Amino acid sequence: MNGENLKFRFQIATDAQAFQVYLNPYTVIDLFTVAGELINTIEDPSPPALIDPITGTIRYELEWNMQTAAGKDVAAGVYICVIRMFSSSERTELIAEEKAKVLIVR
């Protein structure tokens, strides 16, 4: 990836006029090894909203520098990502959850 961060892109529900249903979503991405070890957590109380000019959907984007919580580069391999978006920073209402596998080749 030539030194660039890994980008996670996702969108949330909008109403019939394409307005956000949740104005201040709180996003958490937990990153695990395939053995289930938590290596890092990325949190963003209000990720920047991007509006897709073609579809009009509202997207969000968070980046991971491919390092552990201790600041060390992760080894090449497969990692499991659990992305959760809550309606607010209180994390009382989960509005979306997605799991993904990421392959890092160095």
Side-chain angles (χ1 to χ4, degrees), residues 36-101:
E37 176 187 0
L38 178 66
I39 58 166
N40 204 342
T41 297
I42 302 166
E43 297 186 45
D44 193 337
S46 70
L50 308 167
I51 299 174
D52 187 313
I54 297 170
T55 63
T57 57
I58 300 169
R59 295 181 311 161
Y60 293 91
E61 185 174 283
L62 282 176
E63 295 186 18
W64 177 38
N65 59 7
M66 293 179 279
Q67 294 183 342
T68 66
K72 299 195 184 277
D73 288 341
V74 296
V78 176
Y79 295 87
I80 308 297
C81 308
V82 180
I83 304 165
R84 290 171 287 143
M85 188 174 260
F86 297 91
S87 61
S88 67
S89 60
E90 286 80 38
R91 299 187 197 188
T92 55
E93 182 182 1
L94 179 65
I95 58 175
E97 180 178 62
E98 185 69 35
K99 296 172 182 81
K101 293 178 187 173

